Amino acid sequence: MPKPYPKEFREDVVRVARNREPGATLEQIAADFGVHPITLSKWLRRAEIDEGARPATASSDRPSALPRRL
């Protein structure tokens, strides 16, 4: 398993992504920093949760995780 990125690196990438110029995509920023675009999306979502701007939900709270009735 690859080593996790340092916290400071993740914070820097998130800051750049949030303050990007119009027309700059998350894919471009992710490529500039050498991370996968999905990874950057997850970091942005986690930052929103950590700052209280987005509610955190457990996977068991999502409808797809509930048991099915037959």
Side-chain angles (χ1 to χ4, degrees), residues 6-42:
K7 180 180 180 184
E8 294 80 15
F9 176 77
R10 293 189 311 264
E11 291 171 349
D12 286 344
V13 177
V14 166
R15 181 179 40 77
V16 169
R18 286 179 169 171
N19 298 319
R20 67 186 181 271
E21 294 184 16
T25 66
L26 290 180
E27 289 79 10
Q28 291 169 331
I29 293 168
D32 289 347
F33 283 95
V35 299
H36 194 278
I38 298 297
T39 300
L40 177 52
S41 296
K42 289 179 181 179

Side-chain angles (χ1 to χ4, degrees), residues 38-58:
I38 298 297
T39 300
L40 177 52
S41 296
K42 289 179 181 179
W43 291 351
L44 286 165
R45 184 175 35 219
R46 172 52 54 192
E48 290 174 355
I49 291 169
D50 290 347
E51 294 165 357
R54 181 183 192 131
T57 56

